[in-house]
Amino acid sequence: MSMIRDLRAAVRPSLRKDGISYPSSTASYDTYDATRDAASAVVDCAVYRDGARLECADALTPHEAMLEVRRRGGFAWIGLHEPTEAEFAGIAAEFGLHPLAVEDAVHAHQRPKLERYDDTLFTVFKTIHYVEHTELTATSEVVETGEVMCFTGRDFFITVRHGGHGSLRALRRRLQEDPELLAKGPSAVLHTIADHVVDGYIAVADAMQDDIDDVESEVFSAPSKGKGSSRGVDAGRIYQLKREVLEFKRAVSPLLRPMLLLSERPMRLVDPDIQKYFRDVADHLTRVQEQVIGFDELLNSILQANLAQAAVAQNEDMRKITSWAAIIAVPTAVCGVYGMNFKHMPELHWRYGYPMVLALIGGVCFAIHRTLKRNGWL
């Protein structure tokens, strides 16, 4: 919590006439360089004005980008990947970010959410990546999660990404090819990221549908000829797939309310023309949520059916064992009687007694076997 105390002291704003909060410091704003420690975490930093990226001879630091924005307008878009506390503390002080949001952005593992701190919107997205696999096993990783945290201000947009996937480079290039949309400001970037994340959910849902269909077909497929009834599939595979669906659900379900808020509630930091596009994102997210809930319920049914098939197979095994025990009981009983070696026993000294007993045993066993087989016990 030492970082929180330090940041609270650093971000106490001194309001100027233009209404913009600057970090309190003994140094002047023009000489203050709080972002010098963040260079290793910064993936990209650029200034956008009228929908176009300003071309600079050298890469801008976050401090230089904000100086350019304050002087000539536009907004700065700063992208970071897994910054440490020390790397992010300077940027947090530079932009007056709230300490609680900064703590969430640095340590990650947050639920998708939307929070407002003064003149900044803090949004958390869970990114989902489908892990390709040739065969689903009880230890297969089906989905891999990451996080993208977004700080949306009036003249800046900061993304903090966690995880080895979900790079925003391609998205940034694609957005730069649409200057009319980019001219709407930071809220346009927020919408584009939200749309990109939800599109990823749709792709993952389609891929997981194939895995679930394969497991379902295997569980309910007819047994091969001569192999008896189906014993189902490894329950560990179904359970592992259910766990991955639950991880997917944790990313999708909490995000629906933030998207509805962005699409329905007027916000100063969201351009009215952009707000209507969040409705489309919310619609797509609702569809994915319904799919994921359906996956969860379907896997419950598949798991129960698989366990029922295993129980039926065990009952059939016990029935076969019981049938063979009944057949074996006949020679056991006869041989047990004649094995007592009493002196006076019927037919003991008869010449045809031995083959007669063997024939009797064989005939009775054959009759029992035929009857049990006709009734489906063997």
Side-chain angles (χ1 to χ4, degrees):
M1 297 299 291
S2 61
M3 177 185 175
I4 300 299
R5 290 194 295 270
D6 294 340
L7 287 173
R8 281 175 178 154
V11 301
R12 284 193 294 267
S14 56
L15 296 177
R16 290 174 42 164
K17 294 181 180 180
D18 56 5
I20 299 172
S21 298
Y22 294 95
S24 300
S25 175
T26 56
S28 67
Y29 185 82
D30 290 336
T31 58
Y32 180 69
D33 188 8
T35 60
R36 60 183 180 275
D37 294 330
S40 60
V42 175
V43 177
D44 199 354
C45 177
V47 173
Y48 297 88
R49 187 177 299 127
D50 297 328
R53 176 170 178 155
L54 299 187
E55 297 295 336
C56 301
D58 299 318
L60 293 175
T61 65
H63 174 65
E64 293 169 344
M66 285 312 299
L67 284 178
E68 180 67 25
V69 169
R70 306 296 186 192
R71 289 169 183 164
R72 298 190 176 105
F75 74 95
W77 180 359
I78 303 166
L80 300 98
H81 181 247
E82 298 183 353
T84 63
E85 291 185 4
E87 290 170 339
F88 198 56
I91 292 180
E94 178 84 28
F95 294 93
L97 305 181
H98 196 279
L100 294 177
V102 171
E103 184 182 25
D104 290 345
V106 170
H107 296 290
H109 304 294
Q110 304 297 317
R111 294 178 75 250
K113 59 183 179 179
L114 171 66
E115 295 178 342
R116 180 172 179 176
Y117 296 100
D118 300 325
D119 288 333
T120 303
L121 286 179
F122 177 61
T123 316
V124 177
F125 298 97
K126 282 276 191 181
T127 58
I128 300 292
H129 172 68
Y130 180 78
V131 180
E132 296 290 343
H133 48 268
T134 55
E135 182 181 1
L136 180 66
T137 66
T139 58
S140 294
E141 185 179 20
V142 180
V143 295
E144 183 182 12
T145 61
E147 292 178 50
V148 175
M149 286 84 164
C150 303
F151 294 88
T152 307
R154 289 195 297 175
D155 53 9
F156 67 86
F157 189 83
I158 301 173
T159 58
V160 181
R161 185 169 60 87
H162 290 267
H165 63 88
S167 175
L168 301 176
R169 289 185 183 274
L171 182 143
R172 186 189 287 254
R173 288 194 298 267
R174 187 170 70 251
L175 192 55
Q176 289 172 171
E177 295 174 356
D178 190 355
E180 184 177 353
L181 178 61
L182 195 55
K184 298 293 183 180
S187 61
V189 183
L190 178 61
H191 162 263
T192 304
I193 291 178
D195 188 56
H196 174 72
V197 170
V198 173
D199 285 346
Y201 292 167
I202 295 174
V204 172
D206 292 340
M208 292 190 74
Q209 180 70 66
D210 294 336
D211 284 335
I212 294 174
D213 289 344
D214 290 342
V215 171
E216 184 180 20
S217 299
E218 189 171 350
V219 169
F220 292 102
S221 61
S224 301
K225 186 176 180 180
K227 292 187 177 181
S229 62
S230 173
R231 295 178 180 269
V233 300
D234 180 12
R237 296 173 56 193
I238 304 175
Y239 185 72
Q240 177 65 14
L241 191 55
K242 183 173 174 59
R243 289 187 62 184
E244 297 297 302
V245 168
L246 181 60
E247 186 73 17
F248 193 9
K249 186 177 180 180
R250 288 172 181 164
V252 173
S253 296
L255 186 60
L256 184 58
R257 177 169 175 76
M259 292 300 101
L260 291 174
L261 289 175
L262 287 170
S263 64
E264 297 172 355
R265 181 177 299 178
M267 298 183 183
R268 288 181 298 171
L269 296 172
V270 179
D271 188 285
D273 293 334
I274 295 297
Q275 189 171 27
K276 64 184 71 173
Y277 289 100
F278 280 106
R279 297 173 192 164
D280 183 63
V281 176
D283 289 342
H284 291 171
L285 190 61
T286 301
R287 193 190 87 181
V288 175
Q289 184 187 37
E290 292 172 352
Q291 277 187 284
V292 174
I293 293 174
F295 290 165
D296 193 32
E297 295 175 352
L298 181 59
L299 284 172
N300 283 336
S301 301
I302 293 174
L303 184 59
Q304 291 174 1
N306 188 66
L307 294 176
Q309 286 181 348
V312 169
Q314 290 177 351
N315 289 337
E316 290 183 354
D317 291 342
M318 291 300 300
R319 188 166 58 183
K320 290 180 180 179
I321 293 172
T322 303
S323 300
W324 284 111
I327 295 174
I328 296 174
V330 174
T332 301
V334 175
C335 295
V337 170
Y338 280 90
M340 290 186 288
N341 294 323
F342 291 124
K343 184 174 182 180
H344 300 288
M345 293 184 68
E347 313 301 339
L348 187 63
H349 300 286
W350 184 38
R351 175 179 298 181
Y352 302 105
Y354 180 71
M356 180 63 71
V357 169
L358 291 181
L360 178 65
I361 291 174
V364 173
C365 289
F366 176 78
I368 294 175
H369 181 273
R370 187 173 181 180
T371 301
L372 292 175
K373 192 171 184 179
R374 185 185 304 116
N375 294 329
W377 282 60
L378 287 174

